[in-house]
Amino acid sequence: MATRIMGTGSAIPSRIVTNQELEGFLDTSDAWIQERTGIGSRHAATTETTTSLAAKACLKALEDAGKQPEEVDLILAATVSPDCTFPCLACEIQAAIGADHATAYDINAACAGFLFALNSADAYIRCGMYRNALIVGAEVLTKIVDWNDRSTCILFGDGAGAAFVQEAEEGVVDMVQGANGKKGMALYRFEARTNTPFSEVAAAMEETKDSGYLEMNGQEVFRFAVSQVPDSIQKVLERTGWEKSEVDHYILHQANARIIQSIARRLGELEEKFPMNLHQYGNMSSASIPVLLDELNRAGKLKRGEKIILSGFGAGLTYGATAVIW
Ligand code: COA
């Protein structure tokens, strides 16, 4: 028994924000951003919400799989930028698409969220609790970054990607996943401050001038990604017994072209096996892997039987790699 990806979908806001547009209000340049990150533009939600993007991506994934919303057993939504803290995004999606029979809840594992959702769905399906799941990564990160902070805002964009998975003979083969909470403050965002008659936390946060925006130690995150991701990939390869030469595609979280190139070098693999779309979208956190997966799927670049490694990493710090037969 395994869990197979039967259909994919994605949704991206129509508004494009180019590096040149950022030059208009930030002390930055297209050349700096392209050289350090590989990012040329990102998309920003205007009328779209995390829920509307996620619901659209889910309906497309269901259509691709030839399934109806009422057939879905489980919805797992990965996000760090939901519209509401509660109800969760997955419940909002359930209502929006009419998946009335599905259990629904969120996973917060930041940029590794979609991967963790896939691994969780696989565990449920393998043990026989559910027969299928709709997994989705959706973000509107443009609302949680500080547009005056050139070291972070240039990196992120909005979008959603989804996959419908179900029990099958082959699909997910094995995975590794982990977390290092001790390094959590390398990439974080405090929840909005609340002043209560009792809380001393809000005052303490005020004193440290905590912004309420996403905060990041870029170099620490960079070092974490280029060491932890190759290690996770090596471990999952050992568990599956696959040779690197057998892997057809490495579909990695799209944070930064330099990170992906460095991972390819460390693995001794060809860069062309690492497709990228971050030039167009920037870092969409949990949405980046499923959006790329959907683009490759719809372009006919994934063939049934091919061997794929998915790998994500991000705030937490969380990381993982999953081996999948397409
Ligand atoms: N435009 C122009 N200059 C900028 C800039 C921008 N957008 N952002 C930062 N700088 C400046 C800094 O102020 C610094 O100037 P200084 O030398 O005068 O102090 C200089 O560029 C170098 O900054 P530094 O932070 O050392 O750059 P870097 O080479 O580490 O690149 C990142 C910065 C963020 C691109 C890089 O650290 C990175 O990609 N880290 C990983 C981040 C990530 O992927 N996070 C999400 C993971 S899920």
Side-chain angles (χ1 to χ4, degrees), residues 10-290:
S10 58
I12 303 288
S14 53
R15 174 73 156 86
I16 299 170
V17 181
T18 62
N19 292 346
Q20 286 79 6
E21 185 172 351
L22 299 184
E23 286 174 357
F25 62 90
L26 277 176
D27 181 14
T28 191
S29 67
D30 176 47
W32 193 98
I33 300 171
Q34 298 257 13
E35 190 193 316
R36 303 282 175 129
T37 71
I39 296 166
S41 62
R42 70 287 297 141
H43 289 238
T46 51
T47 55
E48 302 88 349
T49 63
T50 310
T51 305
S52 71
L53 291 167
K56 199 167 165 187
C58 285
L59 287 173
K60 286 187 181 171
L62 286 174
E63 189 185 7
D64 189 37
K67 295 286 173 183
Q68 296 301 318
E70 310 84 62
E71 295 178 75
V72 177
D73 289 347
L74 172 69
I75 302 172
L76 294 177
T79 186
V80 292
S81 53
D83 299 320
C84 315
T85 309
F86 52 86
C88 66
L89 174 61
C91 285
E92 299 265 63
I93 296 168
Q94 188 218 34
I97 69 173
D100 297 341
H101 305 299
T103 300
Y105 64 90
D106 287 4
I107 290 179
N108 178 344
C111 306
F114 180 82
L115 196 79
F116 283 24
L118 174 63
N119 295 337
S120 303
D122 180 47
Y124 277 123
I125 288 170
R126 271 178 207 271
C127 79
M129 193 177 283
Y130 297 115
R131 299 184 64 188
N132 68 53
L134 195 50
I135 51 174
V136 53
E139 306 288 1
V140 175
L141 299 172
T142 53
K143 72 184 178 193
I144 61 166
V145 296
D146 179 357
W147 287 98
N148 293 310
D149 177 7
R150 65 179 183 172
S151 68
T152 54
C153 71
I154 56 142
L155 299 171
F156 298 99
D158 303 336
F164 178 81
V165 300
Q166 73 176 36
E167 61 183 8
E169 284 303 308
E170 57 180 14
V172 173
V173 178
D174 213 333
M175 62 93 189
V176 295
Q177 60 184 14
N180 182 357
K182 286 187 179 143
K183 296 269 171 139
M185 287 300 118
L187 179 52
Y188 70 92
R189 173 183 174 254
F190 276 110
E191 199 40 81
R193 287 166 216 159
T194 44
N195 279 307
T196 74
F198 324 108
S199 172
E200 292 171 19
V201 177
M205 287 166 87
E206 198 66 58
E207 269 165 33
T208 58
K209 298 214 174 346
D210 229 298
S211 64
Y213 291 119
L214 177 154
E215 303 278 353
M216 182 179 69
N217 178 335
Q219 289 183 5
E220 190 170 354
V221 174
F222 196 101
R223 282 193 298 273
F224 153 72
V226 299
S227 61
Q228 191 65 65
V229 174
D231 185 61
S232 301
I233 292 175
Q234 293 283 13
K235 285 197 173 113
V236 84
L237 288 174
E238 280 161 27
R239 288 173 67 98
T240 55
W242 293 359
E243 295 297 328
K244 274 184 293 192
S245 57
E246 294 175 63
V247 177
D248 297 291
H249 313 277
Y250 292 89
I251 300 180
L252 267 49
H253 169 49
Q254 302 284 295
N256 179 319
R258 280 164 59 220
I259 291 178
I260 294 174
Q261 286 154 352
S262 167
I263 292 167
R265 270 198 309 277
R266 283 175 194 229
L267 287 169
E269 273 287 35
L270 296 171
E271 219 180 289
E272 65 217 36
K273 286 166 91 171
F274 293 73
M276 289 191 227
N277 63 5
L278 60 89
H279 183 76
Q280 204 179 344
Y281 302 123
N283 179 346
M284 296 185 287
S285 191
S286 68
S288 80
I289 291 177

